Amino acid sequence: MKVNEWRSKLERLAPLSYSCQWDNPGLLAGRGEKEVSKILIALDATDEVVDLAETKKADLLLTHHPLIFKPVKTVNDQDFIGRRLIKMIQADISCYAMHTNFDIAPGGMGDLAAEKLGLLDSIPLEVTGEKDGCFYGIGKVGNLAKEISLKSLAQEVKAIFGLPFVTLYGAKQAEKRIKRVAVCPGSGKGMTDSAINLGAQVLITGDMGHHDGIDAEARGLVILDGGHYGLEHMFVDFMEQYCRQVDGNVEVIKAPVEFPVASW
């Protein structure tokens, strides 16, 4: 299959029309007529990932986060984006990103997180659209099968998402019983109002700053921060299975799980 054929398959799973206006998913570099026999899947197109794609002779680099967010005025070796683009183009590696379109699409990031947590009767945390009478959007809110303590929930989140640690804004409520949970993989700074309005007791997300966390707690919403990478690296395993279903002959390589932050 060629890159353009893969584009069609990937956009059937997560249409670009679902993406947020500020986002930049899709084919960011490379040739549409390039034959694809090897795919490398990663969350980010970091220097290490681009080097791995070159070393493994990948034809397509498939990432969640776009390498290019803002308009590029120059492509040269004077900045890290330019260097990565030059390396991929020289190696004839196409680069495709599935970002907020994958976050929002039914069966995408929000649904995957809700399924992992076992949320029942889940609804979008923030509705962005409607299709065939069903609303879709960013994140999910739902109920656990049974009440558990906040401490137990934190431990389960660590285990479910394979996290080295979590940050809890509301630690003094460790024994609080939790039933209704909101989850927003990635960055959830702007989701506290939605979570509160939908009755969530805890918001599981990433990228929460000090003031965001303590302000949410003051309003009755506990924040469980598993990290941006921590709650989204499941993208890699999911897309590996999807790619293998699309083409059983394609070789799929997964970038190793490497958390960008650590607790010492």
Side-chain angles (χ1 to χ4, degrees):
M1 289 174 57
K2 296 180 180 181
V3 168
N4 280 335
E5 294 174 285
W6 275 102
R7 288 177 67 181
S8 177
K9 299 294 185 181
L10 296 173
E11 289 167 20
R12 183 179 301 173
L13 173 67
L16 296 182
S17 60
Y18 283 8
S19 61
C20 296
Q21 188 173 9
W22 50 263
D23 200 10
N24 190 40
L27 183 63
L28 303 183
R31 300 185 295 115
E33 291 303 304
K34 166 79 174 180
E35 286 286 348
V36 177
S37 60
K38 189 179 297 185
I39 298 175
L40 173 62
I41 306 175
L43 200 69
D44 300 280
T46 62
D47 288 327
E48 293 80 8
V49 165
V50 173
D51 287 345
L52 181 63
E54 182 183 37
T55 300
K56 295 293 186 180
K57 301 186 184 305
D59 302 298
L60 176 64
L61 172 57
L62 175 60
T63 67
H64 179 49
H65 296 130
L67 174 60
I68 304 172
F69 265 114
K70 299 178 181 179
V72 176
K73 294 183 179 181
T74 60
V75 178
N76 56 49
D77 62 357
Q78 302 306 300
D79 70 274
F80 68 98
I81 298 295
R83 287 193 294 272
R84 293 173 191 174
L85 288 170
I86 290 170
K87 181 169 288 189
M88 286 190 291
I89 291 169
Q90 287 180 326
D92 199 14
I93 300 169
S94 295
C95 182
Y96 191 94
M98 305 172 69
H99 193 210
T100 53
N101 54 317
F102 182 79
D103 290 336
I104 291 169
M109 198 75 82
D111 283 335
L112 289 175
E115 182 179 348
K116 281 180 173 289
L117 292 165
L119 299 186
L120 305 175
D121 303 318
S122 64
I123 58 175
L125 178 57
E126 181 181 284
V127 173
T128 60
E130 178 266 336
K131 182 178 181 180
D132 299 329
C134 296
F135 293 103
Y136 58 82
I138 296 174
K140 287 286 182 174
V141 179
N143 298 317
L144 299 172
K146 61 179 181 179
E147 280 191 352
I148 61 173
S149 70
L150 179 58
K151 180 179 179 180
S152 295
L153 177 61
Q155 292 171 337
E156 286 195 11
V157 169
K158 283 180 63 178
I160 289 169
F161 292 95
L163 307 176
F165 65 92
V166 295
T167 301
L168 188 63
Y169 292 95
K172 61 179 176 286
Q173 303 181 58
E175 299 307 320
K176 180 179 180 179
R177 307 301 290 178
I178 300 295
K179 180 76 171 181
R180 190 157 179 80
V181 173
V183 61
C184 180
S187 179
K189 281 187 177 181
M191 295 296 176
T192 53
D193 285 347
S194 296
I196 291 169
N197 291 338
L198 291 171
Q201 298 168 279
V202 59
L203 170 60
I204 302 168
T205 189
D207 289 353
M208 295 297 289
H210 169 76
H211 295 290
D212 302 300
I214 64 172
D215 289 351
E217 184 189 1
R219 299 173 64 193
L221 178 69
V222 172
I223 301 295
L224 204 165
D225 190 329
H228 195 128
Y229 181 95
L231 298 179
E232 287 193 329
H233 69 83
M234 58 183 173
F235 168 85
V236 176
D237 286 340
F238 178 85
M239 289 309 303
E240 176 197 22
Q241 296 303 315
Y242 181 78
C243 290
R244 293 189 189 281
Q245 289 172 8
V246 169
D247 182 355
N249 295 317
V250 72
E251 182 179 350
V252 181
I253 305 168
K254 298 188 295 183
V257 174
E258 294 182 351
F259 287 87
V261 295
S263 177
W264 297 93

